């Protein structure tokens, strides 16, 4: 190997390249790749693979006409079709294993449990795996409700047990399996998503 440093400070193998491949100055179209067969457990011999095509920067640029779009977060099936289920409020964990984490609420039922399939996934062995509790947003009446889930786990709103639908107000504290969450509505008397 003949190590050469180009004008811009790049190092390259002078035996393989006539000029710096990092600067893309007349990089060869083809190169020879050598593989030591003993690295695969065979006898000592060199296997050569000739004429491996290396595309030039111009070829790469010409084929890249589409724009790159960033991906942030998870999309539901509706969002993939261009329809978004808008946020109507949040639950923010203030005590428990996920302190500081917020959970987006959507219109309709929001199932809470330990399983990743739940709308709101809370950690902790005291949290039931499936539907420990349900938070519902009713857009017709513009109200939020806390409901008992389908498990044996108990839920509390402001230290009162939830045994039937309980209307939620801004700042209410919801306790689920050792986690305490504060309710923060987006939709209220001042704002509501318009139906299209």
């Amino acid at each position: 190997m003949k190590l050469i440093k180009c004008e811009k400070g790049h190092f390259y193998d002078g035996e393989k390249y006539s000029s710096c491949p990092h600067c893309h100055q007349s990089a060869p179209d083809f190169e020879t790749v050598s593989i030591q067969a003993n690295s695969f457990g065979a006898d000592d011999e060199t296997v050569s693979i000739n004429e491996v095509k290396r595309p030039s920067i111009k070829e790469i640029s010409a084929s890249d006409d589409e724009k790159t779009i960033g991906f942030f977060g998870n999309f539901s099936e509706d969002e993939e079709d261009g329809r978004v289920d808008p946020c109507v409020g949040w639950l923010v964990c203030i005590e428990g294993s996920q302190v500081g984490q917020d959970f987006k609420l959507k219109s309709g039922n929001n199932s809470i449990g330990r399983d990743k399939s739940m709308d709101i996934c809370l950690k902790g062995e005291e949290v039931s795996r499936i539907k420990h509790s349900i938070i519902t947003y009713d857009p017709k009446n513009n109200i939020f409700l806390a409901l008992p889930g389908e498990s044996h786990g108990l839920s509390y709103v402001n230290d009162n047990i939830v045994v039937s639908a309980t209307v939620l107000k801004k700042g209410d504290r919801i306790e689920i399996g050792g986690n305490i969450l504060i309710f923060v509505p987006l939709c209220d008397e001042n704002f509501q998503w318009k139906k299209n």
Side-chain angles (χ1 to χ4, degrees):
M1 180 174 176
K2 181 179 174 185
L3 192 60
I4 298 175
K5 183 177 180 182
C6 78
E7 294 173 1
K8 293 184 180 178
H10 300 123
F11 289 96
Y12 64 96
D13 184 355
E15 293 174 359
K16 282 188 176 182
Y17 304 99
S18 59
S19 62
C20 179
H22 304 287
C23 296
H24 301 288
Q25 300 170 353
S26 68
D29 286 339
F30 298 96
E31 68 175 299
T32 300
V33 178
S34 295
I35 301 170
Q36 290 295 330
N38 66 355
S39 62
F40 300 105
D43 295 334
D44 258 352
E45 62 180 85
T46 301
V47 179
S48 294
I49 302 170
N50 293 317
E51 297 186 354
V52 175
K53 176 89 168 116
R54 174 182 288 180
S56 69
I57 270 300
K58 290 178 184 174
E59 289 173 336
I60 294 169
S61 300
S63 66
D64 192 20
D65 292 335
E66 295 181 19
K67 293 181 180 178
T68 302
I69 300 171
F71 173 74
F72 302 96
N74 296 322
F75 289 106
S76 70
E77 290 178 19
D78 290 343
E79 289 171 330
E80 290 174 5
D81 295 338
R83 294 174 287 157
V84 176
D85 196 2
C87 176
V88 295
W90 301 268
L91 295 178
V92 180
C93 186
I94 60 167
E95 193 175 309
S97 61
Q98 292 164 281
V99 171
Q101 187 170 350
D102 62 318
F103 303 93
K104 173 184 160 184
L105 297 172
K106 61 180 175 43
S107 188
N109 291 332
N110 296 272
S111 299
I112 302 171
R114 202 173 65 238
D115 194 80
K116 292 186 189 285
S117 67
M118 297 289 95
D119 298 307
I120 297 169
C121 181
L122 292 178
K123 296 177 183 174
E125 289 301 315
E126 296 175 31
V127 179
S128 298
R129 194 171 60 79
I130 303 289
K131 294 186 181 176
H132 185 115
S133 185
I134 299 168
I135 303 295
T136 300
Y137 173 66
D138 173 10
K140 185 175 182 178
N141 296 303
N142 197 25
I143 60 170
F144 289 87
L145 302 166
L147 300 156
E150 298 172 3
S151 71
H152 295 287
L154 300 176
S155 301
Y156 300 86
V157 173
N158 298 327
D159 293 326
N160 297 313
I161 191 167
V162 176
V163 291
S164 62
T166 304
V167 176
L168 291 173
K169 298 177 298 308
K170 181 179 181 178
D172 280 349
R173 291 172 180 243
I174 302 164
E175 185 178 342
I176 299 170
N179 297 289
I180 298 179
L181 307 145
I182 286 189
F183 170 63
V184 181
L186 172 62
C187 294
D188 56 16
E189 63 279 353
N190 298 315
F191 175 80
Q192 190 174 6
W193 293 107
K194 294 179 183 176
K195 295 179 183 176
N196 292 332

